[in-house]
Amino acid sequence: ALGKGSDLEKAVATAALVYSNSADPQGKLSKAETKTLLQTQFGAFIQGQENKPKYQEIISALDEELENKIDFEDFMILLVSLTLMSDLLQEIKNVKKTK
């Protein structure tokens, strides 16, 4: 659908597709499923973040209240939050600056 889309459009479409393929028929993920999806599909960004208080807060929130489910909007907020605190993001920024 986005064959001629920009790189950013394709990236968001990919995130939506990965989420959609994991979501239940109502389009939601359990918090446990969300945690697993982030660990398997976003591992390079969250690797090494375990000791950061904000990371621990996000992950512990996913371990609580197992009956609550995450919709796509909440998933994207988690994804952006984890990206912003990631060491990998800083590495990416440094590569851009050296070109």
Side-chain angles (χ1 to χ4, degrees), residues 10-73:
K10 290 176 185 176
V12 172
T14 298
L17 184 61
V18 168
Y19 177 89
S20 180
N21 286 339
S22 300
D24 65 17
Q26 289 76 39
K28 296 190 177 196
L29 289 173
S30 73
K31 289 187 175 188
E33 291 167 329
T34 301
K35 182 178 176 181
T36 299
L37 183 62
L38 290 169
Q39 290 171 332
T40 59
Q41 292 288 323
F42 211 58
F45 277 88
I46 61 177
Q47 183 177 0
Q49 306 307 303
E50 298 83 6
N51 294 327
K52 292 184 177 179
K54 186 64 178 170
Y55 176 85
Q56 291 173 350
E57 179 184 323
I58 289 170
I59 295 304
S60 67
L62 292 176
D63 288 335
E64 298 169 1
E65 303 176 36
L66 297 177
E67 295 170 9
N68 289 343
K69 296 210 172 193
I70 303 286
D71 61 16
F72 181 68
E73 180 180 325

